Amino acid sequence: MSRLPRPTTANDPGPSDGSPAVRRRPRRRAALAATTAGLALLAVGTPVAYATLGAESPADARPAAAARGKAYIETRLFFGTERPYGGPDVTDRQFLDFIDSEVTPRFPNGLTIQDGRGQWRDSNGVIERERSYELTLLYPASEARLRDPQIERIRNAYEKAYAQDSVARLEERTTADF
């Protein structure tokens, strides 16, 4: 915005600091013009930006596609490694041997094991913190009745073999596509 000099008169000598008088446009009018220009740029620029990025504009967005895959059950088991009464912790080798003998025969199509750290209150009310393993099993929902007793055998076998109070079990329905 350029400023034009304002003529001075005898009744209007100009600013008191001695600088030449300047004609000022109302700020409100300038702000309105700037806002209008900005909105015009956004309106024109948005479709161009989406086209440049190879994306659809929000107005052209289509509904999300149906979920892929089939119905599955995801079962996660949490195995602690500390033994009560000061016994030696379950080692990696012992745990992997347990997986080979108790889990793999029941779930030969695959599984996932993750190392973790766990905390829980034991049967005596004591907060226990220990190294742990998380086992994830994924199987078709149609096999849930067959798999339930197999999973319970795995939990019971670990509790008995390593003197554990419990093996936690968490299940969720999901979809999976392979």
Side-chain angles (χ1 to χ4, degrees):
M1 176 168 91
S2 66
R3 295 185 179 182
L4 302 174
R6 180 178 67 159
T8 58
T9 65
N11 294 337
D12 183 15
S16 60
D17 65 356
S19 62
V22 177
R23 183 176 183 202
R24 300 179 192 263
R25 293 184 184 202
R27 287 186 181 185
R28 183 178 238 179
R29 193 164 151 189
L32 182 61
T35 302
T36 304
L39 289 174
L41 282 174
L42 283 175
V44 171
T46 299
V48 173
Y50 278 101
T52 302
L53 295 173
E56 297 173 344
S57 68
D60 297 335
R62 287 178 255 143
R68 293 188 187 273
K70 296 179 182 176
Y72 273 76
I73 304 290
E74 177 183 6
T75 299
R76 294 170 27 200
L77 301 177
F78 300 87
F79 300 88
T81 59
E82 289 185 7
R83 296 191 202 192
Y85 314 113
D89 290 356
V90 177
T91 65
D92 287 342
R93 182 74 262 153
Q94 288 172 316
F95 185 75
L96 292 176
D97 287 346
F98 176 83
I99 294 296
D100 290 344
S101 64
E102 297 291 335
V103 182
T104 301
R106 293 179 173 98
F107 293 88
N109 290 339
L111 52 90
T112 301
I113 301 168
Q114 296 184 43
D115 290 325
R117 298 286 308 163
Q119 174 179 310
W120 69 299
R121 187 182 307 273
D122 72 10
S123 57
N124 297 316
V126 176
I127 299 290
E128 299 285 343
R129 292 181 178 96
E130 62 187 320
R131 189 172 60 83
S132 61
Y133 298 99
E134 179 181 339
L135 171 66
T136 303
L137 304 168
L138 191 63
Y139 49 92
S142 62
E143 297 177 10
R145 285 186 173 201
L146 169 70
R147 299 303 186 169
D148 180 69
Q150 294 174 336
I151 293 167
E152 288 307 301
R153 283 190 202 102
I154 292 167
R155 294 175 71 200
N156 292 333
Y158 191 82
E159 289 168 5
K160 183 177 179 183
Y162 300 108
Q164 298 292 301
D165 282 346
S166 71
V167 171
R169 179 177 178 173
L170 174 69
E171 288 190 351
E172 294 184 60
R173 289 189 160 275
T174 188
T175 57
D177 186 27
F178 298 96

